[in-house]
Amino acid sequence: MNEGTGAVNGGVNDVNGTARHRSRIHELDRDIARLIRLRTDEDRRLQDARRAAGHPRTDLAWENSVLRGYLEALGPDGAQLALLLLGLARRTPPGAAAEQEEGTEERTRQRTGGRTRQRTEERTAERTKEHTSR
């Protein structure tokens, strides 16, 4: 450790607040994921309402306005983010989104004996360990 700068192995120790910043980023990431789930659910309900009214599931003019809003707010990467968000709501057919997801997860678990979820959890734990050890 370099006593003068507080550097540890080329990084910065907690004297400069890295743990606090990482904690806050993790908190923000959890909030973002929660908001994305809420947005996806609401978009699916919108699609259901459009279909019930006899309209197409999607409204391309509205989706383009969403893309423009993200582009204006965040630049080209914002447009990519908007495409991802719009795509999330399309991946599960409107209607029984939650029930279908639960059924799909259960069928996958039965087919793989739970190995897929276990591997995913192991990889997530490895990545978390890598990031926290940096």
Side-chain angles (χ1 to χ4, degrees):
M1 177 169 159
N2 181 327
E3 298 295 329
T5 63
V8 176
N9 297 329
V12 179
N13 67 14
D14 282 345
V15 171
N16 292 324
T18 58
R20 185 183 77 241
H21 294 298
R22 285 183 180 153
S23 176
R24 180 66 177 137
I25 289 170
H26 286 304
E27 181 183 323
L28 291 169
D29 286 341
R30 284 189 301 271
D31 289 346
I32 291 167
R34 181 183 56 79
L35 289 170
I36 288 171
R37 282 190 302 272
L38 288 172
R39 187 199 188 285
T40 299
D41 291 344
E42 192 63 35
D43 196 341
R44 288 175 181 154
R45 285 190 286 277
L46 172 62
Q47 291 176 37
D48 287 345
R50 288 182 55 74
R51 293 289 298 256
H55 298 288
R57 190 169 102 177
T58 59
D59 178 348
L60 296 180
W62 177 78
E63 289 188 358
N64 280 328
S65 72
V66 170
L67 285 169
R68 280 192 303 276
Y70 275 82
L71 177 66
E72 290 170 8
L74 302 171
D77 289 338
Q80 292 298 313
L81 177 59
L83 287 171
L84 289 170
L85 292 171
L86 292 168
L88 281 172
R90 290 182 179 174
R91 291 203 189 4
T92 301
E99 295 85 7
Q100 288 180 355
E101 287 175 4
E102 289 173 9
T104 301
E105 185 176 322
E106 180 59 31
R107 284 190 301 277
T108 300
R109 195 174 17 258
Q110 290 171 351
R111 189 177 68 246
T112 64
R115 291 182 308 274
T116 303
R117 183 180 195 112
Q118 181 181 357
R119 280 194 300 261
T120 300
E121 289 171 353
E122 288 169 356
R123 280 188 238 126
T124 301
E126 288 172 10
R127 289 184 190 129
T128 301
K129 188 186 299 183
E130 287 173 9
H131 288 290
T132 57
S133 65
R134 290 183 184 167

